Amino acid sequence: MSSTNEKLRVDKYLWAIRVFKTRSQAADACDGGKVKMNGGTVKAAKPVSVGDKFEIKTEARKWVIEVVGLLANRQAYSEAIKYYVDNTPEEDKLAPKYEASVFQTGKRQSKIGRPTKKNRRTLDGFMDGDDE
């Protein structure tokens, strides 16, 4: 683990331990009041020290973590989890992930709406076959 006397920004730490995908997302969350450090809101440039407690709200879930080591550079998830203790209550860990109200794959859902060109041709062929 890193030494405790070096300065490490909140946004860089949260990005390095993989709470946020990008450092700018971490900074925006700090500015938007989604990150609380030791009970109070925090700015992105505030230095982090071992023992600090964070409450973080992301789109996916809520986090309650305690810093046990300082990590300046992003590493693999298996390494990053060694630098904090996750004290998040179980119900917040298992909260339903954010899902879009309409999941659009680009394909039309079957039997809903107008027929596709292919469906229309088979319908026309079916109808024409009846007249004989």
Side-chain angles (χ1 to χ4, degrees), residues 23-125:
R23 191 166 159 193
S24 62
Q25 280 179 341
D28 290 344
C30 291
D31 295 340
K34 303 245 188 270
V35 178
K36 289 186 181 356
M37 181 166 134
N38 299 326
T41 56
V42 66
K43 293 199 171 159
K46 185 148 175 71
V48 177
S49 57
V50 174
D52 286 340
K53 292 176 175 50
F54 286 96
E55 289 178 38
I56 307 153
K57 290 181 184 151
T58 63
E59 277 187 13
R61 62 175 268 205
K62 184 179 174 190
W63 300 74
V64 178
I65 61 172
E66 184 177 347
V67 180
V68 294
L70 299 179
L71 179 62
N73 296 319
R74 199 164 166 98
Q75 294 183 356
Y77 175 77
S78 57
E79 287 296 311
I81 59 175
K82 297 174 184 173
Y83 291 87
Y84 67 92
V85 177
D86 194 348
N87 296 325
T88 309
E90 284 300 316
E91 63 269 11
D92 289 331
K93 284 184 184 178
L94 302 174
K97 300 233 185 293
Y98 170 78
E99 291 180 20
S101 59
V102 177
F103 187 71
Q104 192 58 265
T105 61
K107 290 188 174 182
R108 186 180 70 85
Q109 291 180 322
S110 71
K111 300 178 184 74
I112 295 176
R114 294 174 56 164
T116 62
K117 202 173 207 178
K118 182 180 177 190
N119 290 348
R120 186 77 208 157
R121 286 190 188 126
T122 56
L123 280 172
D124 285 343

